[in-house]
Amino acid sequence: MSKPFVRIVSASLVGTTIEWYDFFLYTSAAALVFNKLFFPTADPLTGTLLAFLTYAIGFVARPIGGLVFAHYGDKIGRKRLLVLSLLLMGGSTFAMGLLPTYAAIGIGAPLLLTTLRLIQGFALGGEWGGAVLIVSEHGSAERRGFWASWPQCGAPGGNLLATGVLALHAAVQSDATFLAWGWRVPFLLSGVLVLIGLWIRLSVTESPVFLAAQAKAAERAEPHVPVVEVFRNSWQRVLVTIGARMAENVSYYIITAFILVYVTTGLGMAKTVGLNAVMIGSAVHFVSIPLWGALSDRLGRRPVYLFGAVTMAVWAFAFFALLNTRSPGLIIVAATVGLTLHGAMYGPQAAFFSEQFPTRVRYTGLSVGGQLSSIAAGAVAPLIATALFQRYDSTVPVSLYLVGMCAITVIAILAARETLGHSLAEPESVDSPVPAGR
């Protein structure tokens, strides 16, 4: 593998890790800090629901960001949009660390927090598609599943970093100190991380597949509105990406976000128990994602993805059974196994989705499908899980909710064609033949 390609993979991984660090930092803080500082109420679960509501607002902005970034990404290139998304995400996260709380300025505090969360979501909506594509379009078809899975590692990498920083501060500071000012440090740290990410990301080259498609489009001199083309010619593929992400998105946020609510509020245990479980699980998740991606290069995208969706439906019940033991070790097992099974969906996802769309609308198709599903899945997952637990005082409805999402994903994957071996340079890559034996 050439050094330029390794640099491209590294730039995508580092950039997505930083952006997910910013995004997940908010998720963890919403469960542990923001409910007290920005939404103080007599009922802890109600405060948490309000904090998760602003968390969900970030997801609402993601499709908008995905559309805007994808439109220009399909017209002027992937690289410049990736730089812009990193600046927007890092700047908004840094500003969160400077916000006054509800006690200082009243209702203005949650309003400012919500505004910054919208900017975060807008930036992340444009980040994911570009980071995945710049790797997918530089690499070969034979190992696309493996290499394209590395930007996916940015999610557990960012979560590991965010959870680790919060856990460290919670461990060395008293609860009073952490609530007073300690929570601000991880947000301010984002400013340093963004500078590192920009230095790496500015060194990559534009996708050769995109440059070739751009040159052909210039020769034809045809009007090019990517979002119109996607919904006119590829709406079935958009539905596949939406359905495929339901189980993946919901399971991830239940395992990494709702676990913090359930361990602290439902089981009455220290917040470090949940944070440590997510941190260790994220480390294993980081390693497992490329392995699942590599397996999809051998077995196909659909079999690996289906395995993850079906086993996640089973784990939906085992997960809470292990949490209910109140054993820190078994809680770690619950999170780690859950995230490993999640990797079976997340690992092949980047290559599988990239192979669904032609080059001229690939950024748009990938982003529209991926980000619309985020509203229906990840945005509301902690909200629905918390509300179900509050209403029924049981985790069984939460497990059934996850099983329902897994069923939707299984249907979507079964309705999709296998895309292993497709060339992204083809005008309609998804329609090129699958190699024999695959």
Side-chain angles (χ1 to χ4, degrees), residues 78-426:
R78 298 18 174 154
K79 176 181 173 179
R80 280 179 279 185
L81 276 301
L82 286 174
V83 171
L84 178 59
S85 68
L86 190 60
L87 285 171
L88 285 175
M89 176 66 85
S92 59
T93 305
F94 183 83
M96 284 180 184
L98 302 174
L99 282 180
T101 64
Y102 187 92
I105 63 171
I107 193 66
L111 288 177
L112 287 172
L113 182 67
T114 301
T115 300
L116 293 174
R117 179 62 173 175
L118 283 168
I119 297 173
Q120 270 194 335
F122 181 83
L124 190 62
E127 161 70 22
W128 180 69
V132 164
L133 288 185
I134 205 163
V135 174
S136 296
E137 293 178 343
H138 271 90
S140 63
E142 290 77 14
R143 302 196 66 194
R144 185 179 297 128
F146 174 72
W147 288 113
S149 69
W150 279 100
Q152 302 287 80
C153 294
N159 202 8
L160 177 63
L161 189 59
T163 307
V165 171
L166 282 172
L168 177 63
H169 278 78
V172 301
Q173 295 174 332
S174 66
D175 287 346
T177 302
F178 186 69
L179 283 174
W181 62 267
W183 66 272
R184 297 181 182 276
V185 176
F187 286 86
L188 298 176
L189 178 63
S190 177
V192 178
L193 296 177
V194 166
L195 292 177
I196 297 172
L198 284 175
W199 175 68
I200 297 175
R201 189 159 275 187
L202 286 169
S203 68
V204 305
T205 58
E206 185 55 82
S207 156
V209 173
F210 167 78
L211 292 176
Q214 187 183 45
K216 289 181 181 178
E219 291 175 4
R220 291 193 299 265
E222 298 174 351
H224 180 36
V225 185
V227 68
V228 174
E229 292 185 36
V230 164
F231 283 108
R232 179 186 297 154
N233 304 318
S234 304
W235 61 269
Q236 300 99 326
R237 300 169 195 175
V238 171
L239 290 179
V240 166
T241 60
I242 292 174
R245 289 206 77 197
M246 297 303 286
E248 176 267 305
N249 237 216
V250 170
S251 64
Y252 189 76
Y253 289 103
I254 286 178
I255 294 170
T256 60
F258 180 69
I259 188 176
L260 301 178
V261 177
Y262 186 65
V263 166
T264 56
T265 307
L267 300 178
M269 302 180 72
K271 60 179 175 288
T272 53
V273 175
L275 286 170
N276 289 338
V278 173
M279 185 166 57
I280 293 171
S282 293
V284 176
H285 195 208
F286 185 95
V287 175
S288 71
I289 287 174
L291 299 180
W292 289 116
L295 188 62
S296 78
D297 285 330
R298 297 179 63 84
L299 303 181
R301 318 299 185 208
R302 294 171 74 237
V304 178
Y305 212 121
L306 283 171
F307 174 81
V310 172
T311 54
M312 184 59 73
V314 176
W315 196 250
F317 296 95
F319 176 72
F320 287 109
L322 290 172
L323 296 187
N324 289 335
T325 64
R326 287 183 165 84
S327 165
L330 291 179
I331 290 174
I332 290 172
V333 171
T336 302
V337 174
L339 287 173
T340 301
L341 296 177
H342 173 270
M345 294 180 280
Y346 206 52
Q349 186 182 92
F352 183 53
F353 288 2
S354 297
E355 292 160 348
Q356 296 294 318
F357 301 95
T359 303
R360 59 189 279 114
V361 297
R362 186 170 293 131
Y363 201 147
T364 301
L366 192 72
S367 297
V368 168
Q371 301 312 328
L372 284 178
S373 63
S374 295
I375 295 180
V380 295
L383 277 169
I384 291 175
T386 303
L388 287 172
F389 177 65
Q390 186 181 43
R391 172 69 177 81
Y392 296 101
D393 194 27
S394 169
T395 59
V396 173
V398 181
S399 298
L400 292 174
Y401 163 53
L402 179 52
V403 169
M405 296 301 103
C406 290
I408 292 174
T409 291
V410 168
I411 292 170
I413 297 301
L414 289 176
R417 289 187 58 192
E418 179 58 66
T419 58
L420 176 62
H422 291 300
S423 169
L424 296 185
E426 294 294 325

